[in-house]
Amino acid sequence: MYFCTYIHIHIIIKKNIMNRSVIKDLLKSTEYESKVLVKGWVRTKRGNNTVAFVALNDGSIIHNLQIVIDVPSFDAELLRRINTGACIGVKGSLVESKGQGQKVEVIADTVELYGEADPEVYPLQKKGHSFEFLREIAHLRVRTNTFGAVFRIRHAMAFAIHKYFNDMGYFYLHAPIITASDAEGAGEMFRVSTLDPDNLPLTEDKKVDYSKDFFGKATNLTVSGQLEGELAALALGGVYTFGPTFRAENSNTPRHLAEFWMIEPEVAFNDINDNMNLAEDFLKYLINYALENCLDDLEFLNSMVDKELIERLKFVVNNKFIRMSYEGAIEILLASGHKFEFPVSWGLDLQAEHERYLVEKHFKCPVILTDYPREIKAFYMKQNDDKRTVRAMDVLFPRIGEIIGGSQREENFDKLLARIRELGMPEKELWWYLDTRRYGTVTHSGFGLGFERLLLFVTGMANIRDVIPFPRTPKNAEF
RNA sequence: UCCUCAGUAGCUCAGUUGGUUAGAGCGGCGGACUGUUAAUCCGUAGGUCGAAGGUUCAAGUCCUUCCUGAGGAGCCA
């Protein structure tokens, strides 16, 4: 009874929200001669004194709807003001198109101009623009085909991430964004403070007195939700975080952002092999979801941005990832005879050129490397019996490099504490983390997936600043 | 942060060993055209050459510093 009422209300509300026909639906419709109302933004207008054609886009799909206007029966001044970028509403008849290039079109009865776009100053032209230029007008670039496609895909991937984990019975955990711990020691952090920078309270030895700050201690924006994810995994079983992450590194590359989104599953009872299985299944699910749900956008990107995109996505979905140890990778690199700029030897971290060689030249396939030397990996990783490696795993993708970094976690209290002391970390500040190993500890594993790096791969875009609506990078926080 | 390259019209770019009044395509504007597909054709306006110094009779062009952007490296997701 209650359920029926809800459905009824929901339908009424949806009707009110959708006080127009959506172009995505109209392009599939065969209800010819029916009257429709469409609203959207003009991409191009062309024609002559008799007939004009408006390509209308409402964001629901990459394709435009052709509006046919019988010029003599419309106000010339109104038509003059309908230019690229203008927002209009059109009432008319949906008909089979007389011209080539589209199945259906709308013969306009009336056209209402909601908002003009002065062609003298509107920055988007009918011609293509460079991505660098569009970055400078990020508030308008969503109106282009490419960025419309990218952000529809971004939405679909975010949705698919929640769907995957929800269907798996995992719980979405909101890790804090403000944190007092610098747990991973992963690079520079953004300070969060309400202290007046021009009048800082000082302690007796002339240092900033953070006890006077909002939280009574120094705080920062999070660089990872992993440690909190571990706490929850050891109660809820399987959890994942999906939220913004902040790194104040002065990184100027097409693969780094100061503010990015990260997905971090953390799963109790999973060892490193379960972890690899999860990572591979997860990535394949997401890519397959894009192929099944975003094909129009992918086809556009395939034709305009990256000719091998769809082929590459299908390849990843259909092939097993190569799994091997760090040691095995070193042996392959040493035996390759390839001349690398940086040295290869056991104990040194792999450089970008080494990872690229393995993925793009040697295996030509995604690769998962495990069991890295403990000295080059984080303190929380499960220590192997050989005393010199840890159960880390990096998933390496073509074009992207490291798309996932993760590990089985050290669940043994004594070993974890020894490692924390060995690295000179502030063990007192990690009391809560160590408590999970004091009480009811168990094998568990997890990893971090950079959302924008996933999007780089799925969209074929080359620069990470072009897969997030408003990128934050050194010297740039515009919009 | 380091290395390399770039910054000239609204956009994308050309501009010779320094030498008259800085060019093109696209876009805009005006016109032509009875169904166009980033329409086509004719015409037209539009520039503090990233900023500040310097060298020179003369600088878009050479030198210095700075700013911005891109690519590579490092850090990592």
Side-chain angles (χ1 to χ4, degrees), chain A residues 11-28:
Chain A
I11 288 169
I12 290 172
I13 291 171
K14 193 176 177 195
K15 242 182 168 176
N16 286 339
I17 293 169
M18 287 307 185
N19 59 357
R20 61 185 170 101
S21 296
V22 173
I23 289 174
K24 184 182 181 180
D25 298 333
L26 289 182
L27 292 177
K28 288 184 298 194

Side-chain angles (χ1 to χ4, degrees), chain A residues 60-170:
Chain A
S60 61
I61 189 170
I62 192 156
H63 305 300
N64 301 323
L65 177 68
Q66 176 154 282
I67 308 296
V68 184
I69 295 173
D70 178 49
V71 172
S73 49
F74 282 83
D75 175 35
E77 176 63 14
L78 171 71
L79 295 185
R80 194 189 61 75
R81 291 161 69 200
I82 295 173
N83 298 112
T84 299
C87 187
I88 61 172
V90 177
K91 281 183 185 163
S93 306
L94 185 75
V95 300
E96 276 187 281
S97 178
K98 279 194 225 168
Q100 303 295 308
Q102 59 280 316
K103 259 182 75 182
V104 300
E105 61 194 16
V106 166
I107 310 290
D109 297 330
T110 64
V111 176
E112 187 178 351
L113 178 62
Y114 300 130
E116 339 182 25
D118 183 352
E120 299 260 17
V121 289
Y122 184 62
L124 290 175
Q125 304 170 358
K126 297 174 191 180
K127 278 282 184 181
H129 293 287
S130 68
F131 292 144
E132 288 85 353
F133 171 68
L134 291 171
R135 244 169 255 152
E136 294 169 10
I137 50 166
H139 59 307
L140 296 173
R141 69 177 177 170
V142 197
R143 301 185 184 196
T144 64
N145 287 331
T146 299
F147 286 93
V150 166
F151 294 130
R152 276 187 297 271
I153 292 171
R154 186 180 168 107
H155 159 79
M157 288 296 91
F159 178 79
I161 285 160
H162 287 300
K163 179 166 168 50
Y164 178 84
F165 286 124
N166 185 64
D167 290 353
M168 293 273 285
Y170 289 12

Side-chain angles (χ1 to χ4, degrees), chain A residues 212-462:
Chain A
K212 300 279 199 310
D213 206 346
F214 186 89
F215 294 103
K217 56 169 76 170
T219 49
N220 300 289
L221 293 177
T222 182
V223 293
S224 166
Q226 180 200 315
L227 300 190
E228 289 87 352
E230 285 188 56
L231 313 184
L234 295 177
L236 299 170
V239 303
Y240 68 104
T241 71
F242 183 6
T245 309
F246 307 89
R247 306 264 168 100
E249 292 290 341
N250 195 0
S251 297
N252 292 289
T253 85
R255 296 177 307 282
H256 290 85
L257 291 164
E259 177 185 291
F260 63 100
W261 290 65
M262 187 153 65
I263 301 103
E264 295 175 290
E266 196 67 38
V267 189
F269 317 113
N270 269 14
D271 66 13
I272 188 73
N273 288 310
D274 302 320
N275 206 31
M276 284 190 277
N277 291 342
L278 178 64
E280 181 168 346
D281 187 58
F282 179 47
L283 287 169
K284 285 179 172 174
Y285 175 88
L286 295 177
I287 294 165
N288 191 57
Y289 188 93
L291 285 167
E292 287 185 353
N293 294 278
C294 309
L295 199 56
D296 282 340
D297 289 324
L298 288 177
E299 280 171 349
F300 176 82
L301 293 168
N302 194 81
S303 66
M304 300 299 285
V305 175
D306 179 351
K307 301 282 184 214
E308 283 137 33
L309 175 61
I310 291 177
E311 197 184 326
R312 195 185 307 117
L313 296 181
K314 286 182 174 167
F315 180 85
V316 168
V317 169
N318 293 324
N319 285 277
K320 276 197 156 178
F321 295 4
I322 304 288
R323 299 183 186 187
M324 74 183 320
S325 67
Y326 164 88
E327 190 164 335
I330 294 289
E331 283 167 12
I332 285 175
L333 292 169
L334 287 174
S336 71
H338 193 274
K339 234 192 161 185
F340 296 106
E341 192 185 338
F342 291 90
V344 176
S345 94
W346 200 99
L348 297 179
D349 206 356
L350 296 177
Q351 304 292 313
E353 57 167 345
H354 304 141
E355 296 180 345
R356 222 177 297 125
Y357 178 85
L358 287 171
V359 173
E360 293 170 7
K361 294 236 171 73
H362 188 82
F363 290 115
K364 297 186 168 68
C365 179
V367 176
I368 310 180
L369 294 183
T370 56
D371 300 299
Y372 283 73
R374 69 200 285 265
E375 277 71 27
I376 60 174
K377 288 292 182 183
F379 75 97
Y380 50 72
M381 293 187 179
K382 173 76 179 170
Q383 296 165 39
N384 280 321
D385 293 338
D386 65 7
K387 306 277 186 205
R388 61 175 202 159
T389 60
V390 290
R391 269 172 224 176
M393 66 168 212
D394 283 0
V395 181
L396 309 178
F397 258 37
R399 268 172 41 96
I400 313 297
E402 184 182 337
I403 195 168
I404 277 179
S407 70
Q408 184 174 330
R409 317 308 189 188
E410 181 55 76
E411 84 279 9
N412 181 283
F413 179 84
D414 295 328
K415 285 185 180 173
L416 182 61
L417 184 61
R419 188 67 180 136
I420 285 172
R421 287 178 176 166
E422 198 177 348
L423 292 170
M425 296 179 68
E427 64 178 89
K428 279 184 183 160
E429 288 179 26
L430 287 167
W431 65 273
W432 47 274
Y433 186 66
L434 284 162
D435 260 8
T436 56
R437 275 65 167 174
R438 265 191 198 100
Y439 312 123
T441 188
V442 73
T443 298
H444 62 287
S445 300
F447 59 80
L449 168 67
F451 187 47
E452 284 77 18
R453 289 202 180 161
L454 171 74
L455 288 172
L456 280 181
F457 187 76
V458 173
T459 62
M461 299 294 282

